[in-house]
Amino acid sequence: MTTFGLLALAILPGFVIVQRYYAKDHLQKEPIGVVLRSFFWGAALVLPAGLFESLFPLADSPSSVDLAIHYILLVGITEEVAKYIAIRFYSARNEAFNEHFDGVVYGACVGGGFATFENVFYVLEHGFAVGVLRAFLSVPGHILWGAIIGHWIAKGKMEKWNQFLVFFIGVGISSMLHGGFDFVLNFQDKALLVAPLFVLTPLFLVRFYSKSALEKDHIYIFGNVLPSSTEKENLQNGNSILLKLVNVMLYFFALLFGLFSIFLWPFCIKDYIDGASDFESWMFSIPTIFSILTVYLYSLGRKYSNAFKAKQTNV
């Protein structure tokens, strides 16, 4: 695959997942500038975290205990503390961070920046297969672990929780999940069976956090009275330019992955029929995944296109 294709595969998942959490914030949209800068700070802390981890390399033949200590107590804690620093000392200090759900949004943004920048190195070095696996495991994992930290920082700010307790719970949960995920990846025969648990668990946890936070924010903003249509319109940020930009990007990547799938399917089928020695059945998964991504991104593009048209009509 071309370098451009690998870069697209490395960058796209982080943006798509972060956008999903940004879109859920339907009460008071966060300023896009603060969101992007939070994403940037998450990316900027990848190198410092990596440099610190490099000071404590693994032994040549590490035991299971050595691996657990390295990935949970070093890698997990270091990278999740880095996310905590970005959320706590940049995002949470902004006046736009004024709701419970903002913690999930900004936590996901910081985690997405961290995951995307890290992903570029992994995908360019190891290729397409690693990129696909990371798109469904490592990238959403980083975003969800960041959202957990952000949720607890929001509780500290909105509900006046003790900051040490917020740090201990948020970073503790995310570090255990992150470290456990990295630890099981060392057991290649069982990794793909166990590793998804460290992504699915925070997914359900963040869903619970999100529902609770949005309910609290609704009461915080409106009391027990449902908002009128005028209030909803005033609260929802009518950023038509952003909608159009997201719409164009989704269609562009849908077209890109569609072309990849159209290009790869004939080669896979031909090699399979000819019984090529270097062809394996799992290779059919490559154009299949491209086809699924094409349909998914196109459907998202249609959704944003309709949203953009609706905003234009309302205006």
Side-chain angles (χ1 to χ4, degrees), residues 15-36:
F15 278 97
V16 170
I17 299 170
V18 168
Q19 177 277 323
R20 298 286 288 179
Y21 284 100
Y22 178 79
K24 287 181 180 181
D25 188 11
H26 60 274
L27 295 175
Q28 288 184 332
K29 285 292 187 188
E30 303 311 303
I32 191 64
V34 182
V35 167
L36 291 176

Side-chain angles (χ1 to χ4, degrees), residues 4-5 7-8 12 244-260 293-294 297-298 301:
F4 178 77
L7 279 173
L12 183 63
K244 191 66 176 177
L245 178 62
V246 171
N247 180 235
V248 170
M249 287 182 62
L250 289 170
Y251 278 138
F252 170 75
F253 282 111
L255 176 62
L256 179 67
F257 285 120
L259 291 173
F260 278 142
L293 286 172
T294 299
L297 292 173
Y298 178 77

Side-chain angles (χ1 to χ4, degrees), residues 1 6 33 43 47 102 126 181 193 196 201 244 246 277 281 290:
M1 182 180 287
L6 290 174
L47 293 180
D102 291 351
H126 299 289
F181 174 82
L193 296 176
T201 299
K244 191 66 176 177
V246 171
S277 59
S281 298
F290 275 137

Side-chain angles (χ1 to χ4, degrees), residues 29-233:
K29 285 292 187 188
E30 303 311 303
I32 191 64
V34 182
V35 167
L36 291 176
R37 284 191 290 272
S38 296
F39 191 93
F40 165 78
W41 279 115
L45 289 171
V46 170
L47 293 180
L51 288 173
F52 178 78
E53 292 165 16
S54 68
L55 299 176
F56 307 94
L58 272 170
D60 293 335
S61 299
S63 65
S64 296
V65 174
D66 293 332
L67 290 171
I69 292 173
H70 179 81
Y71 287 110
I72 296 175
L73 298 184
L74 177 62
V75 177
I77 291 178
T78 299
E79 296 187 4
E80 298 312 312
V81 167
K83 294 172 194 172
Y84 173 88
I85 291 171
I87 303 166
R88 175 70 179 81
F89 296 103
Y90 172 70
S91 305
R93 287 189 173 183
N94 195 286
E95 63 181 11
F97 195 116
N98 58 359
E99 298 174 286
H100 292 83
F101 190 66
D102 291 351
V104 173
V105 173
Y106 288 114
C109 289
V110 170
F114 194 101
T116 300
F117 191 70
E118 181 185 69
N119 209 33
V120 170
F121 293 101
Y122 278 101
V123 175
L124 290 181
E125 181 178 356
H126 299 289
F128 174 80
V130 169
V132 172
L133 287 174
R134 288 183 61 84
F136 289 97
L137 292 173
S138 301
V139 174
H142 275 293
I143 293 171
L144 292 166
W145 302 327
I148 290 171
I149 296 173
H151 166 78
W152 286 100
I153 290 175
K155 287 185 78 69
K157 182 171 183 177
M158 301 299 295
E159 301 177 23
K160 310 303 180 186
W161 278 50
N162 179 278
Q163 289 299 325
F164 176 77
L165 188 61
V166 164
F167 173 85
F168 182 78
I169 297 175
V171 174
I173 294 173
S174 59
S175 297
M176 290 298 293
L177 289 166
H178 184 170
F181 174 82
D182 286 351
F183 172 70
V184 301
L185 290 180
N186 288 274
F187 303 94
Q188 298 179 0
D189 53 337
K190 299 177 182 178
L192 291 180
L193 296 176
V194 181
L197 295 176
F198 293 92
V199 178
L200 292 174
T201 299
L203 174 63
F204 289 113
L205 191 58
V206 171
R207 281 188 176 182
F208 171 76
Y209 287 163
S210 299
K211 181 180 179 181
S212 173
L214 288 170
E215 289 174 352
K216 290 178 180 178
D217 289 338
H218 187 277
I219 295 172
Y220 173 72
I221 296 173
F222 303 108
N224 291 321
V225 181
L226 291 174
S228 66
S229 58
T230 304
E231 288 172 327
K232 285 183 178 179
E233 184 177 348

